[in-house]
Amino acid sequence: MDRLEGYVSHIRYHNEDNGYTVLELETTHGDEILVGTFHYIAEGEYLEAEAEFKDHPAHGPQYQVHSYTVKEPEGKEAMERYLSSGAIKGIGKALAKRIVKKYKKDTFRIMEEEPERLAEIKGISLQKAMDFAVQFQAKQDMRQAMMFLSEYGISSQMAVRIYGEYGDRIYEILRLNPYQLAEDIHGIGFRIADGIAAKAGIAPDSEFRIEAAILYTLQQAVTAGHVFLPKPVLCRSTGDMLGFPAEYIGDHLMDLVLGKKLIIRSEDDQERVYLRAYYFMELNTSSMLMNLDVRFPAGEEEVRERIEYLEKETEIALDEMQKKAVRQAMTEGVLIITGGPGTGKTTTINLMIRSFEMEDMEIALAAPTGRAAKRMTEATGYEAKTIHRLLELSGGDLGNEQYHFERNETNPLEADVIIVDEMSMVDISLMHALLKAVMPGTRLILVGDSNQLPSVGPGNVLKDLIEADVFPVVRLTRIYRQEENSQIVYNAHRINSGRQIVLDNKNPDFFFFQKNDLRSVIASVIYMVKDRLPSYIGNSPFEIQVLTPMRKGELGVDHLNQVLQYYLNPSSPSREEREVRDGIFREGDKVMQIRNNYKLAWKITDAKGFTIEEGMGVFNGDLGIIRDINHFTERVTVIFDENRRVEYPFSGLDELELAYAITIHKSQGSEYPAVVLPLLTGPAVLCNRNLLYTAVTRARKCVTIIGRQEMVEQMIRNEKEQKRYTGLKEQLAQSALIS
């Protein structure tokens, strides 16, 4: 082991997530390369390190640092070097030289204790002098805090956020209640806070720990799609996680209720425990829907003549349920239309739009995702927006929120009619935000397929609205769209009704290949995506989507993406790469955003690079292609649908994952030219009828299933769906009784 000391002359690389750093150290014997974990380091600082020499096969001679100390510069040369390094904004080489020349070895003491004296130097005002002092002290405090937090295993990136939130209060918080971090700072969950608390000596049965675990369990339930948890389920889950009896957990619930963090409500002899925000989302959603539920006068003869005129004008003969939908759109404040693929939902929407046009109404069309909005636009000829764009999402902070919508109860949408498609994807949060921007007197028409998987986010809005039986619901069941030719539509309806499908490969848009082992299934998936299907359907391999029920396992998303990346976008000297987590991102890779980021900016540019549109927000499930990886700027450029260009810092790449294969759940609301489904084995909880139905209905031109026929048959027989705890249905029923 060698002892090295000198100035940090250049930081070549620093990973904010884990502190891994490559730096150049200027010693009395020459420059050396040091690599290791530095939680806080800046150019110009004086470093003492214990390090081991290694001759790296790719990067050459370097020292692996085992321990280090950052020393405050003591000599005049050291002080001047530190101040001129850029550590203090506004002090360059010339000014640093003048400061040290005047105050010599007393420079740092004066900056700490008598900063006003810096104004004695020409070019430094009193205000600047105080600003330099604040920066100097902040650097000292930051370094101390970063080193302190690193002792608890906190990454440098997270430590910066923690210190930014609390400042010097961090020492008291970690001593008394580290679980406060999980409540106050996005990205620090219970698990991280619990690890910190254990190192801080917090007792395992601390009330802070129990209450934080309860909140964590409920937040995890929200992530899984629930809006509340029954009290026994909550107590059992939290108790199992902590190793305590469920009864012990229940004793702590009332403190959280009194602290206005939880709400407990009784319904059907069941105590439901909500995070406070989600209870009021359901309550207010119910109330706002009821306020929209008004009837508009229209005579029966007028309605009948309108429908006859529309049929004649469009040369479309509507069935009775479609006529009912158009009729009720003219008379109802809230209308729900549901139906499977090929049942005429788009035709019905188009005729409703034409009917509203005849009355010169202002119409707004929306869908949950960009792809769904684009399809709606193409099908209707009217511009459809994502709900986020309709509500004019702003990524700026508003109070404690990370984002807000410009359209709300004080700035409502200016529309007479709002039609929302793909309602099965709309969660309770988005529904609540939409309704806040809808004025009473506006017609709201909600369209979707209630047999699709529920939203990724919390709630089961469309299904709850239908089952509440409060608003008129029109169910479209007659199949129109190429029934005699489209095996996709035909099989989707058979799956939905629990009937087995014919897998004889006699139709041009639905194929099945029997494969009984993993190797054969994976080989067939590669062949279909890379070679066979692109020429058959006339689309590139990147437009063909592999869907799978699972994330883990040989046929899960994680493994399939690695395999497909190898064959579809292999390593090449012409393509830059970036290591991420357990894999690699490469220029040309197909990727997906895996969480909502309301602050991420995007822009659309023309052929000359000029910006023609820009906005905020990239959302869970958005697909894109990596266009550029720039190691100098440490940024990755991704092009999403509608040519939205988004730049990610290297530190933000945890929001992306490869998307050659995605889970069926993530495919909701999207449509692909072709879908490939590897189905060999899988847990019953994931492999059910609802999932298979959703997967098949994602394809526009072609479905290819590869695997065991027994697995397909088993999924059709399996009606069990994962239980979602939601209360909107009951809230609506109670509101209807009151009104």
Side-chain angles (χ1 to χ4, degrees), residues 33 75 77 128 200 233 351 425-426 569 620 666 670 692 725:
I33 303 298
E77 181 187 352
K128 268 190 179 182
V233 174
L351 267 72
M425 295 182 64
V426 177
N569 192 34
N620 190 355
K666 288 282 191 180
S670 294
L692 182 60
Y725 294 111

Side-chain angles (χ1 to χ4, degrees), residues 14-19 39 146 154-162 651-652 654:
H14 178 70
N15 186 313
E16 292 184 350
D17 291 326
N18 55 28
H39 290 284
M146 296 288 278
I154 299 171
S155 73
S156 56
Q157 183 185 30
M158 192 61 74
V160 169
R161 293 178 59 192
I162 292 172
S651 60
D654 60 340

Side-chain angles (χ1 to χ4, degrees), residues 148-154 170-181 191-204 206 208-209:
F148 172 75
L149 292 169
S150 71
E151 294 175 6
Y152 293 91
I154 299 171
I170 185 59
Y171 306 104
E172 181 184 5
I173 288 169
L174 287 189
R175 182 173 60 84
L176 297 176
N177 179 19
Y179 296 99
Q180 188 175 335
L181 273 66
R191 300 286 187 188
I192 294 175
D194 200 37
I196 295 170
K199 291 181 179 179
I202 302 296
S206 159
F208 292 128
R209 184 171 188 247

Side-chain angles (χ1 to χ4, degrees), residues 165-166 173 177-190 193 207-216 219 256 259-262 275 400:
E165 177 75 21
Y166 300 119
I173 288 169
N177 179 19
Y179 296 99
Q180 188 175 335
L181 273 66
E183 289 190 50
D184 295 343
I185 301 176
H186 179 71
I188 296 185
F190 172 79
E207 66 180 65
F208 292 128
R209 184 171 188 247
I210 306 298
E211 292 177 7
I214 291 169
L215 295 175
Y216 172 77
Q219 191 57 59
L256 288 168
K260 296 187 176 180
K261 293 177 181 176
L262 300 183
L275 290 171
N400 293 322

